[in-house]
Amino acid sequence: MRTRFAPSPTGFLHVGGLRTALFAYLIARQTKGRFLLRIEDTDQGRSVEGAVEHMLRTLHWAGLDPDEGVMMRKGIIAQEGTKGPYIQSERLELYRKYAEQLLNDGHAYPCFCTPERLTQMREGQMARKQAPMYDRHCAHLPKKEVEEQLARGDAHVIRLLVPHERVFTYTDEIRGEVAFQGHTIDDQVLLKSDGFPTYHLAHVVDDHLMEIDLVIRGEEWLSSTPKHLLLFERLGWTPPKYAHVPLLLNADRTKLSKRQQDTAAEEYMTKGYLPEALINFLALLGWNPGTEQELFSLKELTEAFSLERVQKAGAIFDLAKLDWLQGQWIRRLPLAEFADRLQELTAERFPEAAHDAHFKDKAALIHERVTFLKEGPDMLTFFYVDPKVDLDLLANGKQRVTRELLPKIFKVLVETLEKISEDEWTVDSLKEKLLARAKVEELTQGQLLWPLRAALTGLPYSPGAFEVAVALGKETTLLRLEVARTSLQK
Ligand code: GLU
């Protein structure tokens, strides 16, 4: 299937938009079709400089690069494909042509109503508790008058003539059968007085000419769908299938809003969420696999996803779930990849980390402990900065390590560790030798290992003593123990 994502460049990519893009991408992949990106910039007043680039970068980060249409090539915005241009402001002639065809066929009419008249009309309707819609004043103008006004070049829009007596039904891929009464449908403006099309005309023309098979878009467009189907019919074209995805909601079931939640996908990127986690999270907003499985890679989603399992009801944006998925995805990263991503970040703080041949061992120690990569450098600080000796930390009532006992403990530690050769400096042999010695000296494991770990890291919590000693290496381990031991004597 040919599917498309058609954002308007009015700001950052909304998380709801990213989810729509994801669904369209998945269907294209699943059906070995193509995923297009089209820019809908006919509302020039709302277009924001740089928005297209931001959106493309965010899509790329998420792994949703388009196959056709607007894309980044060597850092600049490019268009690829035979059905372009893929930016609506470059297609104005096409929209005008089809608007004229509709006019000539009597399916649309020019409307000369001034904004003042329309406001007055709307206020009257509201006062009478009627739904606001165009009253068709201009649909009934005498032909001669219309021609005169057009000849004079009077400002006008073009409106779609909706047959009021018709009932419009269609089958939505998510919602099933949907019906709308013709008389509730407004005579939609198709072409504005500035010659720009509205979304309604533009996307119908584009979806036809770009041979889109399935339109996946937000629920807010559901009620406009009959107009779109009517346009397809009036233009003599076969419409695509439609799937309207449910709204994203705040925890209190109101529409997801900036005030309660970050709504720009980019903010999640900056906060350090993995694209894998955000994609997994967005997929589960509205879709459920029908099994217990919760972790899905993009590839797994491509296999498992189906529109039939997308719900109609709004989906609650539950950040706790996102954080949980983030933790899962961090741990799911292969160690080598985790270490690579972390090394870069750590080197920003501790330049020597960039050339640390043992970085992977260090990363391994915290792989299970971080939720965000950015927590990593903090946790690794003790590898790159000698800890301060803290007597209150070295002694520990819970482990029955008293201050009086510390000199003995350090003596035992240094003596035992000195005898272990560099070649044997592994977790297993350190463990074996230290625990054997603890027994001989009648010390508990905790009495020996707590001060060791505390002296090496300067932290109340960290990976275990053996692992830390191995990652630090013999030389640094003994150096730190000596420093701690010396401060005991002061
Ligand atoms: N430009 C429209 C929007 O951003 C696209 C809707 C659609 O996918 O047709 O909401």
Side-chain angles (χ1 to χ4, degrees), residues 268-288:
Y268 293 89
M269 181 165 118
T270 327
K271 282 191 173 158
Y273 286 93
L274 292 173
E276 291 89 342
L278 187 62
I279 285 295
N280 195 157
F281 175 65
L282 290 176
L284 296 174
L285 282 179
W287 171 76
N288 80 78

Side-chain angles (χ1 to χ4, degrees), residues 44 85 108 117 142 178 196 217 253 286 292 329 353 362 405 459:
Q44 297 268 301
R117 178 177 185 276
V178 200
F196 275 76
R217 62 184 178 188
R253 303 205 71 87
E292 294 289 291
W329 272 105
K362 299 184 173 87
L405 208 51
L459 298 172

